[in-house]
Amino acid sequence: MISYTMSLLTISTILISLALVQYSIGIWTERISRRLKAWHLLFFWSGLLFDISGTLAMHKLSGGKFILTDPHTLTGQLALWLMFGHAIWASVVIARNIDSMKDRFHSISIFVWAIWLIPYIGGMVLAMR
């Protein structure tokens, strides 16, 4: 029988990994196409939702502790807020339908994705300890 803690750890790991997959598909397909398209939003928003869900599961796993002085917590929060802002801004760009904004958007995306990788990789390193 699998323990509650092990199940929660497995669920949170799967959710965070799904966030990586979804967000990376959105970021890199947008980067390769060099133009933001409406379908990229699906990957940005679903990546964010998977990340929030996985983060909440990990938060519960840690006993509900939320220590803002912890580097992993700080970078994780920064990444979540950047992802949220990125998804909102992408939605605005698509809604405004201005070609020049769609063409430049990928430069912002790579920055947000790179920042998001810091807590993702950090979490893996912490889990291996």
Side-chain angles (χ1 to χ4, degrees):
M1 185 170 167
I2 299 175
S3 72
Y4 171 75
T5 300
M6 188 54 118
S7 296
L8 197 53
L9 178 61
T10 301
I11 290 168
S12 62
T13 301
I14 290 169
L15 289 168
I16 293 293
S17 295
L18 285 170
L20 173 67
V21 169
Q22 294 294 100
Y23 206 59
S24 295
I25 288 171
I27 296 296
W28 286 102
T29 56
E30 180 219 354
R31 173 73 175 181
I32 291 166
S33 71
R34 295 235 180 252
R35 176 172 274 237
L36 179 64
K37 297 174 181 142
W39 64 269
H40 291 126
L41 296 177
L42 173 68
F43 290 97
F44 297 158
W45 284 106
S46 64
L48 176 63
L49 292 175
F50 280 126
D51 198 13
I52 290 169
S53 300
T55 300
L56 289 172
M58 288 184 192
H59 181 67
K60 186 171 179 113
L61 186 63
S62 72
K65 298 174 192 155
F66 190 71
I67 303 166
L68 281 176
T69 57
D70 176 63
H72 182 66
T73 302
L74 283 173
T75 58
Q77 284 296 306
L78 174 63
L80 281 171
W81 285 107
L82 283 173
M83 285 175 75
F84 181 62
H86 177 254
I88 288 174
W89 185 242
S91 299
V92 168
V93 168
I94 290 297
R96 289 185 180 170
N97 199 27
I98 299 171
D99 287 339
S100 62
M101 291 174 77
K102 290 180 189 177
D103 292 340
R104 288 191 316 255
F105 193 83
H106 63 273
S107 60
I108 297 167
S109 298
I110 293 296
F111 171 76
V112 174
W113 181 79
I115 296 296
W116 184 84
L117 283 178
I118 294 168
Y120 181 83
I121 293 168
M124 287 189 332
V125 169
L126 287 172
M128 287 189 250
R129 283 192 193 172

